[in-house]
Amino acid sequence: MSYQAPYKDMQWLVEQAYQTQQLGNLESLQDFDLDLANAIIDEANKFASGVLAPLNMVGDEEGCKFSDGQVTTPTGWKDAYAQFRDSGWIGLALPEEFGGQGLPKYIAQPVNEMWLSSNLAFVMFAALAQGGSEILLKFASDELKARYLTQIVTGEWTVAMALTEPNAGSDLGALTTKAIPQADGTYQIKGQKIYITYGEHDMADNIVHLVLARTPDAPAGSRGISLFAVPKYRVNEDGSCGEFNDIRCTGIEHKTGLHGSPTCSISYGDNDACVGELIGNLNQGLMAMFVLMNEARLSCGMQGVGLSELALQKALQYSKERVQGAGADGQRVAIIEHPDVKRMLLNLRSESFALRSLGYQIAALIDVTEQSDDEAAVKAAEKRIALLTPIFKGFATEQANELAGDAIQVYGGMGFVEETGIAQVMRDARITTIYEGTTGVQSKDLVHRKIRMDQGQAISELLAAMRVDIAQAPENVVNKRLSAAVDQLAQVLDTTVLSPNADLAQLDAVAVPFLNAMGGICCAWQLARLALKAQESKAQDEEFFGNVEALAEFYSAYKLPLAQAALTTVTQEQNGVDAYQF
Amino acid sequence: MKVLVGVKRVIDYNVKVRVKSDNTDVDLSNTKMAINPFCEIAVEEAIRLKEAGVATEVIAVSVGTSASQEQLRTAMALGADRAILVESEDGAEPLNVAKAFAKIMEQEEVGLVILGKQSIDSDNNQVGQMLAALTKRPQGTFASKVAVDGNSVSVTREIDGGLRTVKLELPAIVTTDLRLNEPRFAKLPDIMKAKRKPLETKTFADLGVEAKQHIQLDKVEAPAARQGGVKVGSVDELIQKLKDEAKVI
């Protein structure tokens, strides 16, 4: 069986996010109600399960091929792209003015999740179109918008983001690609970039590269970086594709996973004939990049959710079919009957469910920031999103790796064999903790920018919200365990993370454990809230809602203590990191 | 020419069907529902006729609870122009449905009715045939090919042992088989547009149909669990088992 959207989970969690963030009160969203959300989820599932999922393994096995500057995508990619484009999915959450559908994020999020689960390697272009369009919308001149946006939103052309260079990865300030001003106001682009997803491919007529480069008199470091729109083919007056713009793909990477997505090395301006146009102001390229980055990090967190769900579906099915060992009565049983296998499946189930809830809540918060007139509500939502972004990105992707490992463990020896397809999930997940900012980068962002620079405001508000929910809930083990963890977290903030005397190098050494603790506590909080809602709705569907309560119990017993252990690590004064000499 | 298509809300074919614990019916509470796959083929065929310039309007009709609006919206997202819901809590048995369709056929001056040959829930395979009888119009059931030519329609039917092509005078009733076409995916912009397409709600009484209950559901049971297979040593043993154990020869 290939992927099927977890329809019921999605429907219910979308509804919960919609209600929690009170999206029903926003006038601009009146046309985008839950009925529409359900209709769209339903149709997207048909596409994800019917078209994208069957290609996932094809992409993994075949990979992309590179020859003589050309990239050939795997069998079926091109057709699937045409279908995806013609069905209008690329413009899902992009403005109607440029041919999009302008859907709110809370509806786009479950749709994106389905794409990510069913074929992550394939749909990388969709996030690039979304992010690229948002950059152009916010920063580009009307002329550039007119030239590119409709083409991108409708999927006629794709977007590539050219940031990384061999010596400028996480440290973008070190990049050296040049942009030399020309008399006509354009720039000549010259340099080498690597790790460019869909930087070259055979699915669309033109590729719009958004390139970070340095003008000759720009200040050193990250303050001297500007952003340029550089199309593969120059655009004629009438909007058609014209002359080749001196952009060459020099190779694609052989990667651990995501084989179907071409990761390109690109050479710009080998013949001094690569023309780019400035997006926004000079030397403010990184600012534009941050818009994309936040978006990309949230989308990356959803990749964690999507891959965890895929791993769960595969492992669950296998565990019901594989007969091995005996139950208490001596009869041979399917392995799902073994408590330890059930434990692993519940790891997958509880974590993906909680993270999905968190991801949908964040999407609904983005809708508040984009659609609400209430300034205070917008500010509060912005702060909450800023705080949750590194937690969601870091934790969801770390978990996806761990959970893919659990799923393989459920398969036993067959999990180590490629033909079952479960190993692909692990290999595809591996990059998610690395790209769009490693977990280490996320943890530093969390500790320093989002907590210390903020003087603990946003995180205090988050803890207060958790405590309000705990206070409203009946006293049970789930809430008791969560309450203890929240108290411990508050204490760690006081004594360590927010302490004015904190040793910053020490903090960096425990930042990832701290991020993991935050992630675990946020997930336990989601499940505790959901369990309370489930209790209220139990009469409607005893099995589903009873299961939600069981998930909250499971999580608070098995996973929350791991978060608390990580908090203990954060406060240990002698941890050996400083002392050891490599 | 107006084309009428039937749309039935049924349990999604991906969902594992469960029987209620008291064996009174199939458990449909909190179950994912969808358009009956044969009806989806009917909708697709009607839309293709419209795209080919043969049909002027495609009207999707469902008989069922108000929840069937979801499936009518899906039909409109796929391309139906408007929809009619004949709202009924429990009157969706074949004869009542056929009578409602007959009335709508008359009121709307429909040229062609396309229905699924059967629904995957009750598997009756009756509405198309009943509708033809009620309206005294020709029928082409189990269609694998439909070609409208002027005032008639050629329908290639899948029958035991081959294909039979019949030519029917319009208005006619066609029921779809699995191989008639492959339904398309709805496009996102069309899903949005479907929200604004007209959906009219009627009752049996509005149509002048008296919905009678002719069928009583006594009991629903899950099929017996499949037994494990055995390897037989010889043809003789197989024959003996078929005789003595399976009692089929």
Side-chain angles (χ1 to χ4, degrees), chain A residues 56 307-308 310-311 314 400 404 421-430:
Chain A
N56 197 25
L307 291 171
S308 303
L310 182 62
K314 284 178 181 288
I422 190 65
Q424 185 194 345
V425 184
M426 178 192 78
R427 289 185 289 97
D428 285 352
R430 195 59 197 86

Side-chain angles (χ1 to χ4, degrees), chain A residues 6 106 110 309 322 505 536:
Chain A
Y106 93 92
E309 174 64 32
R322 172 74 173 163
E536 290 164 10

Side-chain angles (χ1 to χ4, degrees), chain B residues 73 76 86 92 99 105 128 132 152 158 172 212 228 230 238:
Chain B
R73 292 278 173 216
M76 290 192 282
V86 181
K99 283 180 179 170
M105 217 176 135
S152 65
E158 299 201 351
K212 283 191 214 150
V230 269
L238 174 67

Side-chain angles (χ1 to χ4, degrees), chain A residues 451-464:
Chain A
I451 295 182
R452 287 180 65 88
M453 268 168 66
D454 181 55
Q455 286 161 342
Q457 265 186 33
I459 195 159
S460 310
E461 282 160 26
L462 180 70
L463 292 193

Side-chain angles (χ1 to χ4, degrees), chain A residues 168-212:
Chain A
S170 294
D171 180 13
L172 280 174
L175 64 82
T176 60
T177 293
K178 289 197 219 53
I180 303 145
Q182 307 296 298
D184 63 356
T186 63
Y187 292 78
Q188 200 194 105
I189 309 292
K190 202 171 170 59
Q192 321 283 326
K193 295 274 181 183
I194 58 168
Y195 298 167
I196 305 172
T197 303
Y198 280 104
E200 174 62 34
H201 59 81
D202 53 2
M203 305 192 304
D205 295 340
N206 203 356
I207 303 169
V208 185
H209 296 244
L210 302 183
V211 181
L212 284 182

Side-chain angles (χ1 to χ4, degrees), chain A residues 396-417:
Chain A
T397 58
E398 289 288 338
Q399 285 301 312
N401 277 275
E402 214 177 298
L403 295 172
D406 276 346
I408 289 176
Q409 194 72 13
V410 169
Y411 274 78
M414 283 308 287
F416 198 60
V417 173

